[in-house]
Amino acid sequence: MSNTSEFLFAHVDLDGVQVGPGDQVLVHDPITEISFGEVLSYQRTATVSKASLLSRAWVYLTARLELTMLYEVSFSTTRFSKSKHYPRAKPYKAITPITLHEGVKA
């Protein structure tokens, strides 16, 4: 773990255990607070729960679809991409009123 002016991160090394899509890792007794300027390295026990084949396939497929949602992300009020305007306006159709001079014949 690191909390410095250059880096803010926490990494877990599982000593050769392969983790795939849908797998869950639970770190027992984790350190949750680190003071500014500290860099810590410690060992803890972790439990890895492997996903089923169906769950692994589902996570793999939905992750690919959710990735496309990140293509145009903005936290500002202005858009940087001027090529697309959201929401897109529907094409304007001029409406001309229809006037009946003779009335409706049955």
Side-chain angles (χ1 to χ4, degrees), residues 64-77:
R64 299 290 185 224
L65 296 175
E66 289 179 2
L67 181 65
T68 60
M69 294 170 46
L70 298 176
Y71 291 155
E72 287 241 10
V73 175
S74 174
F75 296 103
S76 65
T77 57

Side-chain angles (χ1 to χ4, degrees), residues 41-56:
S41 178
Y42 58 92
Q43 288 187 333
R44 293 290 189 257
T45 304
T47 303
V48 178
S49 301
K50 295 287 188 177
S52 66
L53 187 61
L54 182 62
S55 177
R56 186 178 304 270

Side-chain angles (χ1 to χ4, degrees), residues 15-92:
D15 292 332
V17 176
Q18 296 295 322
V19 180
D23 294 346
Q24 296 180 354
V25 178
L26 174 65
V27 178
H28 301 283
D29 193 28
I31 295 176
T32 57
E33 294 183 16
I34 182 172
S35 300
F36 182 75
E38 283 188 313
V39 178
L40 296 176
S41 178
Y42 58 92
Q43 288 187 333
R44 293 290 189 257
T45 304
T47 303
V48 178
S49 301
K50 295 287 188 177
S52 66
L53 187 61
L54 182 62
S55 177
R56 186 178 304 270
W58 177 253
V59 169
Y60 183 79
L61 291 173
T62 57
R64 299 290 185 224
L65 296 175
E66 289 179 2
L67 181 65
T68 60
M69 294 170 46
L70 298 176
Y71 291 155
E72 287 241 10
V73 175
S74 174
F75 296 103
S76 65
T77 57
T78 60
R79 293 190 61 83
F80 296 106
S81 173
K82 302 297 181 189
S83 63
K84 298 178 182 175
H85 301 286
Y86 294 101
R88 292 183 178 151
K90 295 181 181 178
Y92 176 76

